[in-house]
C-alpha cells in the first residue's frame, strides 16, 4: 500500500471554466479559489472600474464590487478555448440590469487568461462596446443620485 495521494491537476481550460461557473453563481469564495493571490486584471480604461488591478481582494472590491454595485449581472453563456502555453480565451455573454433604472444592457466580453499552477495569474479583458457600457454605468449611477 502506498501512502501517497494523487494530485489531480486541472487543465488551464478547466480552471477558467471553474472561474466562470463561480462568477455565474455569484460565488465569491469560488472565484477567489481560481485566482492567484497576486492576479493582474486589465480592464478597459473607459469603464468606472477600468485600468490594471492587482490582487484577489482588489479584483473582488474594485471590479466585482463596482459591477454588482451598479447592476445585477446574469451570465447567459461562457465559452472557453484553450490556447498555447497555458493561455485560455474565454467569451462571456450576459445581461446587466441596472439597480436604479431597470435598464438592461447586453454584455459581451472576451478575456485572455494566463493560467499557472492551477490558478489564473492574469486576465486581459475586452468588451465589445466599452463606451456604451461606460454610458450604461453612468446612467445607472446618475439615477441613483437623484
Amino acid at each position: 500500500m502506498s501512502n501517497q495521494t494523487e494530485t489531480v491537476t486541472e487543465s488551464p481550460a478547466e480552471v477558467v471554466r471553474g472561474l466562470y461557473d463561480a462568477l455565474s453563481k455569484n460565488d465569491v469564495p469560488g472565484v477567489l479559489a481560481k485566482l492567484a493571490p497576486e492576479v493582474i486584471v486589465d480592464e478597459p480604461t473607459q469603464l468606472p472600474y477600468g485600468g490594471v488591478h492587482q490582487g484577489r481582494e482588489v479584483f473582488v472590491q474594485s471590479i466585482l464590487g463596482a459591477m454588482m454595485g451598479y447592476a445585477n449581472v446574469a451570465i447567459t453563456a461562457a465559452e472557453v478555448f484553450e490556447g498555447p502555453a497555458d493561455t485560455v480565451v474565454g467569451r462571456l455573454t450576459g445581461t446587466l440590469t441596472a439597480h436604479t433604472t431597470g435598464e438592461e444592457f447586453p454584455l459581451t466580453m472576451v478575456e485572455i487568461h494566463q493560467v499557472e499552477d492551477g490558478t489564473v495569474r492574469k486576465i486581459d479583458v475586452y468588451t465589445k462596446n466599452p463606451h456604451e457600457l461606460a454610458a450604461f454605468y453612468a446612467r445607472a449611477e446618475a439615477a441613483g443620485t437623484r
Side-chain angles (χ1 to χ4, degrees), residues 119-136:
T119 60
V120 176
R121 302 288 179 170
K122 184 175 183 194
I123 308 171
D124 287 322
V125 181
Y126 302 90
T127 61
K128 185 173 183 176
N129 42 12
H131 295 288
E132 291 175 29
L133 180 56
F136 165 82

Side-chain angles (χ1 to χ4, degrees), residues 5-145:
T5 58
E6 284 187 39
T7 302
V8 177
T9 305
E10 290 181 299
S11 73
E14 290 169 329
V15 170
V16 174
R17 279 189 197 96
L19 173 66
Y20 286 169
D21 183 55
L23 280 171
S24 71
K25 295 175 182 172
N26 293 321
D27 173 10
V28 174
V31 169
L32 292 176
K34 297 298 180 184
L35 299 175
E38 295 302 316
V39 64
I40 297 171
V41 182
D42 190 351
E43 291 276 352
T45 57
Q46 299 90 338
L47 303 179
Y49 50 86
V52 178
H53 306 274
Q54 184 168 5
R56 286 191 291 220
E57 289 73 22
V58 172
F59 173 80
V60 169
Q61 292 171 357
S62 298
I63 299 171
L64 287 184
M67 285 180 76
M68 294 176 180
Y70 289 110
N72 289 327
V73 180
I75 297 172
T76 55
E79 299 172 278
V80 175
F81 307 94
E82 198 154 355
D86 297 330
T87 300
V88 177
V89 176
R91 181 177 182 269
L92 290 172
T93 55
T95 303
L96 300 175
T97 305
H99 296 304
T100 54
T101 64
E103 176 186 355
E104 291 187 352
F105 186 85
L107 181 66
T108 300
M109 296 189 320
V110 172
E111 300 180 333
I112 301 171
H113 300 258
Q114 293 298 319
V115 180
E116 294 175 20
D117 300 324
T119 60
V120 176
R121 302 288 179 170
K122 184 175 183 194
I123 308 171
D124 287 322
V125 181
Y126 302 90
T127 61
K128 185 173 183 176
N129 42 12
H131 295 288
E132 291 175 29
L133 180 56
F136 165 82
Y137 283 125
R139 289 189 300 276
E141 182 178 33
T145 58

